Amino acid sequence: MTYEFLQHYWWFLIALLGGLLVFLMFVQGANSMIFQLGKTDVERRLVVNSTGRKWEFTFTTLVTFGGAFFASFPLFYSTSFGSAYWVWVAILFTFIIQAVSYEFQNKAGNLLGVKTFQTCLIINGIVGPLLIGGAVATFFTGSNFIVEKANIVNEMQPVISHWANGSRGLDVLLNPWVVVFGIAVVFLARVLGTLYIHNNVNDDAIRSRVRPQLLINTVFFLVFFLAFLVKTLLGEGYAVNAEGVIVMEPMKYLNNLLDMWYLAVILLIGVLMVLYGIVRTIMQPTFIKGIWSTGIGVVLVVIVLFLIAGWNNTAYYPSTADLQSSLTLQNSSSSEFTLTAMFYASLIAPFVLAYIFYAWRSIDSKKLDKAELGDDKHAY
């Protein structure tokens, strides 16, 4: 195992975690449609209890995603999570109010009312995917930071990277393409959430509302996602030349797909799987398994987006303030010893995934219905 292999290996694992995180945001997507899918108090409780059985998976994956970044590419962690902390604080805050809302909406002594906490779930369902999608979009659009490694010996201010202005990352939301991709992720989460509720909740009234909502959200997702994808593939990208200098290259990300043709194949397969699950659900009312083909397709597409942002001599976290401050796999990773040690630790991942699969099947062994909601003493 060479140092270069380890750097690419860990970027692939981060891409995989990113793909799983986007898939698991069906929780946020379904929560954002509580009042569209559920028209009565009982129906809304069915939606909330369906997602309430899975929200820990999403939050745990988000934390693991951040931890993997910190361990394998610490300079990115210190630059993004440290310098642009307001964005990440906002993301974490939406997940905090999500956890509180699940636990307290139907507890005795709730003075705020059930709908107040359900509204908080909607806020998490919209703001969470919007900000996470916006953060991922900066891998292609760039961020306003400066890296000065010489500062590590500065006793007065040993800070390597800092934001070039006082917004602490909030200025990325002024980039319209960051917002476009964030909105695309919001509608993608709503598509996944609709498909998951269709699969997991055994209620005819709720399922009758799935197909119209699925069609609307799919159209909006495709409009925003395809606009961002076309702009990204045809626009300039941040390349690393043979001397290690960051340069702008026309159609860099499209060139990455052409150079790594197997990623283009995976991207095509992922897109077809996404569309298959959506189209069959819309065309065949009795088909309830669209979440699985669409979910797997989403994971594949997100993995490809991450890989074309970081592999093939590409700066995965570009700087718009100072081009040479842009982060690459080579200049931002941990030491070879650290990456090697973590490589062997990562070999237990298949066993963890097997346990998650087992736990998931146990939780969903029976579809959620009104009768089970009344019998479950731990229902939200």
Side-chain angles (χ1 to χ4, degrees):
M1 294 186 296
T2 64
Y3 194 19
E4 182 181 7
F5 166 80
L6 291 168
Q7 291 166 335
H8 284 73
Y9 170 80
W10 275 100
W11 186 252
F12 170 78
L13 288 188
I14 288 171
L16 175 60
L17 288 170
L20 292 174
L21 175 61
V22 174
F23 162 65
L24 290 170
M25 281 197 292
F26 68 75
V27 172
Q28 279 64 46
N31 285 343
S32 71
M33 296 189 296
I34 292 174
F35 293 103
Q36 281 113 333
L37 295 176
K39 298 301 182 181
T40 67
D41 291 340
V42 174
E43 289 172 358
R44 286 191 284 270
R45 283 197 70 193
L46 283 172
V47 174
V48 170
N49 277 270
S50 178
T51 60
R53 297 178 175 189
K54 297 297 189 303
W55 76 267
E56 293 96 338
F57 288 99
T58 310
F59 186 72
T60 302
T61 304
L62 175 63
V63 174
T64 305
F65 177 79
F69 244 133
F70 171 73
S72 53
F73 299 96
L75 189 53
F76 168 81
Y77 191 88
S78 65
T79 301
S80 180
F81 289 74
S83 301
Y85 59 80
W86 280 124
V87 174
W88 294 105
V89 166
I91 292 172
L92 292 175
F93 178 74
T94 65
F95 278 88
I96 291 171
I97 65 173
Q98 176 198 53
V100 172
S101 298
Y102 275 124
E103 293 297 332
F104 289 98
Q105 61 182 290
N106 285 297
K107 289 292 177 74
N110 174 12
L111 300 178
L112 298 177
V114 175
K115 288 189 176 181
T116 299
F117 286 110
Q118 289 178 345
T119 302
C120 289
L121 290 177
I122 294 173
I123 292 173
N124 167 257
I126 296 175
V127 177
L130 177 68
L131 294 180
I132 291 175
V136 173
T138 60
F139 290 167
F140 301 95
T141 63
S143 297
N144 195 23
F145 65 90
I146 297 174
V147 175
E148 297 175 302
K149 293 185 177 181
N151 281 352
I152 196 66
V153 298
N154 187 339
E155 295 182 359
M156 301 298 295
Q157 193 177 10
V159 178
I160 294 177
S161 54
H162 63 274
W163 218 249
N165 55 44
S167 70
R168 299 300 184 185
L170 293 178
D171 59 316
V172 299
L173 298 177
L174 298 178
N175 186 325
W177 289 108
V178 169
V179 177
V180 164
F181 190 74
I183 294 174
V185 174
V186 170
F187 283 110
L188 174 60
R190 289 167 68 90
V191 168
L192 293 169
T194 305
L195 290 171
Y196 178 74
I197 295 298
H198 190 50
N199 174 264
N200 187 247
V201 177
N202 185 18
D203 186 86
D204 292 337
I206 292 177
R207 283 179 171 170
S208 68
R209 303 180 189 115
V210 162
R211 293 163 67 202
Q213 292 295 329
L214 182 59
L215 179 59
I216 293 170
N217 286 286
T218 298
V219 170
F220 279 107
F221 161 67
L222 290 176
V223 169
F224 285 98
F225 176 73
L226 291 177
F228 181 86
L229 184 64
V230 170
K231 182 266 177 186
T232 299
L233 294 180
L234 299 183
E236 287 188 318
Y238 299 81
V240 185
N241 65 20
E243 290 74 33
V245 177
I246 312 298
V247 296
M248 301 303 297
E249 179 181 315
M251 296 188 292
K252 170 60 177 172
Y253 302 107
L254 178 59
N255 293 335
N256 283 354
L257 276 179
L258 297 176
D259 292 341
M260 300 179 288
W261 59 268
Y262 48 90
L263 292 184
V265 174
I266 295 173
L267 178 64
L268 177 61
I269 293 173
V271 169
L272 292 177
M273 292 185 70
V274 169
L275 295 177
Y276 171 79
I278 294 172
V279 172
R280 186 172 177 186
T281 301
I282 293 174
M283 300 297 294
Q284 185 179 344
T286 58
F287 181 70
I288 64 172
K289 296 182 179 180
I291 181 62
W292 303 121
S293 59
T294 298
I296 294 172
V298 166
V299 173
L300 294 178
V301 171
V302 174
I303 288 175
V304 171
L305 290 179
F306 268 82
L307 295 185
I308 64 172
W311 282 5
N312 199 38
N313 298 315
T314 309
Y316 70 85
Y317 198 49
S319 171
T320 56
D322 174 27
L323 194 59
Q324 301 314 312
S325 291
S326 302
L327 303 186
T328 68
L329 300 187
Q330 290 72 32
N331 68 15
S332 64
S333 69
S334 294
S335 66
E336 184 174 3
F337 174 80
T338 301
L339 294 183
T340 302
M342 293 195 305
F343 170 83
Y344 291 110
S346 71
L347 296 180
I348 67 171
F351 299 98
V352 176
L353 292 175
Y355 174 76
I356 293 173
F357 177 77
Y358 170 78
W360 188 295
R361 284 184 62 87
S362 298
I363 294 172
D364 284 354
S365 59
K366 182 179 181 297
K367 303 299 181 185
L368 183 63
D369 55 26
K370 294 177 182 178
E372 183 179 350
L373 190 62
D375 295 336
D376 188 356
K377 297 180 180 179
H378 302 287
Y380 294 113

